[in-house]
Structures are given as C-alpha cells and as structure tokens.
Amino acid sequence: MKKISDLDLTKKKYIIFDMDGTLIDSIGVWNHTDQRLIKEYGKVEIRLEEIQKERDAFLHRMEDSDIYVSYCDYLIRKYPLSIRNSKELLKRRWDISGKILEEEMDFKEDVVELIYLLKELGFTLILATMTTQVQLDIYTKKNKKMLSKMNLSEVFDFITRKEDVKRKKPNPEIYLTIMDHYQAKASECLIFEDSYTGVLASKQAGIEVVNIYDSYADVEREKIYSITDYQIDCYRDFIDFVESVYQVTPKKRKFDELIKEMGACSFCMNLQSRGRDNSLFNIYKDFSFAKEIPSIWTDWYQRLDASIFVIGQDWGPYLDMKELNSRYQQEPTPENWKKLIEEEKSQTKKRLTKFLVESSNGKIRDINSIYITNAIMCARKGEKYRGDDINLKYSTLCCSKFLKKQIELVKPKVIVSLGYYPFLSLSKIFDFVLPKTLAECIEKYPVIEKDNYVIIPLYHPVAQVPNEKQLAQVSKIWEYLK
C-alpha cells in the first residue's frame, strides 16, 4: 500500500465513488434490517457482526444478476424463515429499511465538501453502486437531510446502478462499463471504495483505488490493506491532500470564513443619531441562519462562479429574512430553496430581471446565474425597506471590506451597482472620486475598467427613470461579455 501523497492526482480525469459505506453511512442499516427479519420470521437472534460476515461472504461469491432476491432466498433456507417467497421477503426488507433510509441516513463526514471541491477543479464525477434505483430515489427525492446538503443526481456526471450491469462486484463490469462510456483509460481513473469486495473490483479493473475507512469493513481489514493502493481514515485527509496539490481552498469554505468574519463585526450595531435608532441587525452571528435564507440576495453559494456581480443597497427588514429562513427550515431541500426564491415578490427583483434579460438579446432567460449581494450586509431592524432609519453612508463604508472580499472570491467580469450607495462602496474599494449625485456618476463614469474588472453603475431598477434610459445603461454589460 502506498502513501496518499504518492498519488499523482494531476493525471486523473474521472473520480468514481461507491455509495453504501463510501459516500453514505448505510451498512449498519442493513445489518439491523436483516437481524430483524431473521428474528421476526425465524425466531432466532443473530449477532450483527455475524449477519454482516455472512452477507458479505454471500455477496462476494454470488454472480446472480438479481442478487438481492438470491440473498433473501439464502436467508429463507439458512434459518429457515416462515415466509417462503424470496420476493415477498425482499419487499419486507425494503419496508423495514425504507423509513430509516429516508429519515436517518446521511453522508459520511466531509464527503460533500470533497465532492464540491473535485467538481470545482473540473474532475468528472461518477457514482458506481450496486444499489437499485429504488434506493437511489429515496436518497435523491425523499431524504431531506441528504438533499439539504447535496443531490446525488445533480452533482454526479454519470451514475451506474445495479440495473445497469449483469455481474456484481467484485466482478469489474461496473467499472469497465464506466471506462467504456467515457472511452477512458484506467490510468485516468480513481476509485473510492470502503469494502474488500469493492476494492477487489477496482483492482480487477486495473484502476487505482483509495480505501475509505468504514468500521463495518473491519472484519476484512487485513485483506483490504493487502490489495488497496491507498487508504484514508476520513475524507478530511483527502481534502487536505487535494488542497496541497492544487494550492486551493474551495470557494464555499472561503465564503463560510467570510460569513464568520461578518458575524464578528459590530460597527453598525449601536448607532444613534439625533434621537433615532440607526442601528442594524447582524444576521451573521448565527452562522447556520445566515446560510439558509432563500432569496436572490442570499443565494451566494450557488453563484460563486458568476460572470456578473450585482450590488444592491441593503437587505431590508430582518423580520422578512427570518420568515424566509423559517419557511426553508420546514423543508430544507434544494427544491424548496429554488421554490422560495421563485416566489420572492420584489419589484427590485422583477425589474432587475426585466432589464437584464431584455438587454441580453437572448443570452440569459433569468438571473439565476448572476451573483447578487448588497453594499450593507446587515439587515434593518423594524419593518421598513427604505428611509433614514439606518446610517446609509457610514454602514456602506464600514461594509466595503466585506464587499471587496466577495468580489475577490467570485472574480466576476462585470460588476454592476444599483443606486448611489453601492457605487460609493466601489469608489472606496477601487479608489476613484465620486460625484455628488448618481446621475452625475453615470454621466461621468458610464463604465470604469479597473484592476481587470469592468464596473457599470446603474440607476436603481425601481427609480423614476425612463425604461429606455435604464436599458441603455444595462446594455453596456453585454459589450464586455461577448
């Protein structure tokens, strides 16, 4: 077995993951399910370790295409069970495990971060599982815990299942099928597997394999270590290795760090002016809350590679953000996130979409790929969206350092400001002198090219400015995105 540092990751193009025990902590579910089946229909109590050992041995030696029906038939004959039909027993097995798979199953620690990091680096990601489509549907359509982190069907470029092959692991057919699909060489592939059976299938396909530790595979630990190419105790080990090879930190983790930094800021929390409360509410003090507000203004993590970077003035009332967070928490899935964003009723959103889509000449149909943020990152207290109940200039300038870090992270081609205060923040970041009014700004600086960025000031979408004048300025964006 070689050290993980000996792996030449730069020569790999296709990264392949097994699912049960590798991506997902699911092996224990099947041990408990089979134990319950045997006790319920055979009136015998079998130790979990013994159940796994017998199941692994059976699956390893069987070549039957309908392996799970055959396994149920094996259980009926072995114990023997009062239920005599193997397909009926298989259905009962699904009945017992289904609720657990839907409500309790989760990804292994740090694997979601690794998947997104590999995706960001341009690898082709493949899921190779002997699981059936029935089980995949539970994970990709019903398991809210998993869906809130990652949807397998959206993240993986190619998925092979039990239904796609005739022979199960350790036969290498599933991996040979993948190589044939991509016309890939074995040397261009890398596999992650948890079990001896999976590692053996990888080796028989001629592909290098990383064994990810799973306690349920301890019974065959020595055999695994005798044939695997590499071994890691946890996915954090491999993330650290990838980051050392490519000298990168994933954008999403950098944004996590930015949210935490904003959460520690208190500049605008206790402002008082002429008897008025000009203070703001720092939504970032609660890290998980700040990450789970479904709005175009907070949809940061899905838009970190955007070419267009739009800056509004401020979020508006904290109470509205709290309501959005609450509605998302009732169903924390990507589908609900998208649904809530689509339902967002905002004239600013409506008119911004109108101007961008109309001016693009068919380049975009919506603004879902555009990064949208604000000059003032905290939320207003109370219920007002506008007015002088906050100190706009002071808060804008205080927040400019956070806006700068967002720009440096996203690296857009075009930066667009909506109204005066976002442009004020950009003048501080990029060091140019600002005229007193927005109209003068647009007249003097219709386009600014600075530090490899194109900056275009716009009137606020709901400002009392003729549509033709708005569109003329918005249209300049597309001149720089040809």
Side-chain angles (χ1 to χ4, degrees):
M1 183 167 57
K2 296 173 282 188
K3 296 179 181 178
I4 197 68
S5 57
D6 294 331
L7 170 61
D8 190 349
L9 193 59
T10 62
K11 292 183 179 179
K12 306 300 181 184
K13 296 180 181 178
Y14 309 95
I15 310 294
I16 307 168
F17 286 84
D18 170 52
M19 189 166 73
D20 289 310
T22 300
L23 273 182
I24 300 169
D25 273 322
S26 55
I27 301 300
V29 172
W30 300 112
N31 293 345
H32 285 282
T33 298
D34 292 342
Q35 184 186 57
R36 181 173 168 182
L37 282 175
I38 295 167
K39 184 176 181 180
E40 183 175 335
Y41 294 107
K43 309 302 180 184
V44 180
E45 186 83 48
I46 306 296
R47 290 186 306 111
L48 294 173
E49 296 81 1
E50 188 65 26
I51 286 172
Q52 183 177 334
K53 186 176 180 180
E54 286 188 8
R55 186 177 64 245
D56 287 349
F58 176 83
L59 296 177
H60 184 76
R61 67 176 179 266
M62 282 297 296
E63 291 290 339
D64 197 316
S65 62
D66 209 342
I67 186 67
Y68 296 110
V69 172
S70 298
Y71 174 64
C72 286
D73 185 59
Y74 164 78
L75 292 178
I76 290 170
R77 289 183 284 103
K78 166 84 177 178
Y79 286 102
L81 305 184
S82 58
I83 186 171
R84 305 307 296 169
N85 186 295
S86 55
K87 290 186 177 180
E88 287 182 17
L89 184 63
L90 180 61
K91 181 180 182 303
R92 179 60 182 146
R93 194 171 187 252
W94 275 112
D95 290 341
I96 294 172
S97 64
K99 189 175 182 62
I100 302 174
L101 296 177
E102 183 176 333
E103 297 180 359
E104 299 179 23
M105 202 55 51
D106 202 356
F107 292 109
K108 293 193 113 170
E109 188 173 5
D110 294 324
V111 73
V112 173
E113 181 179 339
L114 174 60
I115 293 293
Y116 281 117
L117 172 57
L118 294 172
K119 193 93 174 165
E120 190 175 309
L121 290 170
F123 289 98
T124 298
L125 301 182
I126 301 153
L127 184 61
T129 176
M130 292 310 296
T131 294
T132 64
Q133 187 62 49
V134 172
Q135 189 173 336
L136 268 173
D137 284 344
I138 292 174
Y139 295 149
T140 59
K141 297 177 182 179
K142 297 179 180 180
N143 186 310
K144 293 180 180 180
K145 186 188 296 185
M146 291 173 62
L147 284 168
S148 69
K149 300 175 183 178
M150 177 174 74
N151 190 326
L152 296 171
S153 62
E154 294 177 358
V155 170
F156 283 92
D157 300 288
F158 186 59
I159 296 176
T160 52
R161 317 147 299 162
K162 173 183 174 293
E163 292 90 340
D164 299 316
V165 294
K166 294 180 180 179
R167 295 175 292 278
K168 63 169 191 61
K169 301 173 188 176
N171 188 290
E173 180 188 1
I174 193 166
Y175 294 127
L176 298 177
T177 299
I178 291 166
M179 286 195 289
D180 183 63
H181 176 80
Y182 282 103
Q183 292 297 294
K185 300 175 183 176
S187 60
E188 296 174 316
C189 303
L190 182 69
I191 297 171
F192 285 86
E193 280 278 7
D194 67 296
S195 68
Y196 174 70
T197 298
V199 171
L200 183 58
S202 307
K203 297 300 293 180
Q204 293 185 157
I207 300 174
E208 284 194 300
V209 57
V210 178
N211 171 243
I212 173 70
Y213 178 78
D214 189 89
S215 61
Y216 290 105
D218 281 347
V219 67
E220 295 184 304
R221 184 63 49 202
E222 290 186 10
K223 292 168 66 178
I224 291 173
Y225 285 175
S226 70
I227 63 171
T228 189
D229 294 293
Y230 309 97
Q231 189 276 331
I232 54 175
D233 291 328
C234 60
Y235 282 111
R236 177 57 54 191
D237 291 345
F238 201 80
I239 290 171
D240 291 342
F241 168 66
V242 174
E243 291 179 358
S244 70
V245 171
Y246 290 95
Q247 295 296 299
V248 296
T249 300
K251 284 187 176 183
K252 291 186 177 183
R253 198 195 304 172
K254 288 182 180 179
F255 208 93
D256 281 349
E257 294 167 359
L258 178 57
I259 287 180
K260 291 173 183 175
E261 184 181 347
M262 291 191 292
C265 180
S266 60
F267 279 120
C268 306
M269 296 305 98
N270 299 297
L271 296 176
Q272 297 290 327
S273 176
R274 295 189 300 277
R276 289 197 301 262
D277 182 358
N278 296 116
S279 60
L280 290 159
F281 188 90
N282 188 336
I283 63 171
Y284 310 99
K285 288 185 180 295
D286 184 340
F287 178 73
S288 60
F289 175 87
K291 289 183 67 173
E292 296 178 348
I293 305 169
S295 162
I296 60 167
W297 312 99
T298 50
D299 193 34
W300 305 300
Y301 287 84
Q302 284 68 46
R303 307 176 187 223
L304 292 174
D305 294 312
S307 297
I308 302 173
F309 188 106
V310 174
I311 312 164
Q313 179 177 282
D314 65 87
W315 298 126
Y318 161 69
L319 292 176
D320 284 4
M321 303 181 84
K322 187 177 180 181
E323 170 65 18
L324 282 169
N325 176 275
S326 175
R327 292 176 64 192
Y328 174 67
Q329 294 303 330
Q330 292 172 18
E331 187 182 341
T333 65
E335 289 74 20
N336 190 38
W337 180 278
K338 292 175 184 176
K339 177 173 172 285
L340 290 171
I341 287 178
E342 289 170 3
E343 290 177 355
E344 190 175 4
K345 291 181 173 128
S346 158
Q347 281 301 309
T348 299
K349 172 188 172 182
K350 181 178 178 181
R351 290 181 64 78
L352 176 63
T353 302
K354 168 185 166 65
F355 291 137
L356 285 168
V357 172
E358 286 186 13
S359 66
S360 75
N361 290 321
K363 290 186 178 70
I364 61 170
R365 293 184 177 181
D366 52 46
I367 58 173
N368 293 340
S369 61
I370 295 173
Y371 185 94
I372 305 175
T373 189
N374 278 311
I376 299 174
M377 294 301 290
C378 287
R380 292 175 181 247
K381 292 181 177 179
E383 300 178 355
K384 292 184 180 179
Y385 272 87
R386 297 185 181 87
D388 63 353
D389 57 331
I390 63 173
N391 190 323
L392 290 170
K393 183 175 181 180
Y394 177 82
S395 297
T396 294
L397 295 176
C398 283
C399 274
S400 62
K401 63 180 180 180
F402 299 129
L403 182 62
K404 181 181 180 182
K405 290 188 176 184
Q406 291 177 74
I407 291 169
E408 291 172 345
L409 181 58
V410 177
K411 291 183 171 56
K413 293 181 180 178
V414 178
I415 302 170
V416 177
S417 59
L418 306 180
Y420 183 82
Y421 287 100
F423 201 46
L424 172 65
S425 186
L426 291 174
S427 74
K428 181 178 180 181
I429 294 169
F430 292 101
D431 192 24
F432 57 87
V433 179
L434 204 64
K436 291 184 178 180
T437 69
L438 182 60
E440 290 177 295
C441 291
I442 293 175
E443 183 178 345
K444 185 174 181 179
Y445 300 120
V447 176
I448 298 173
E449 295 187 50
K450 193 92 168 179
D451 299 343
N452 296 317
Y453 297 110
V454 174
I455 302 170
I456 300 176
L458 302 181
Y459 296 101
H460 195 280
V462 298
Q464 298 298 309
V465 177
N467 284 358
E468 296 76 14
K469 197 170 184 178
Q470 293 262 32
L471 277 169
Q473 188 66 3
V474 176
S475 296
K476 291 182 173 64
I477 295 171
W478 307 105
E479 296 174 17
Y480 296 90
L481 292 174
K482 293 178 181 178

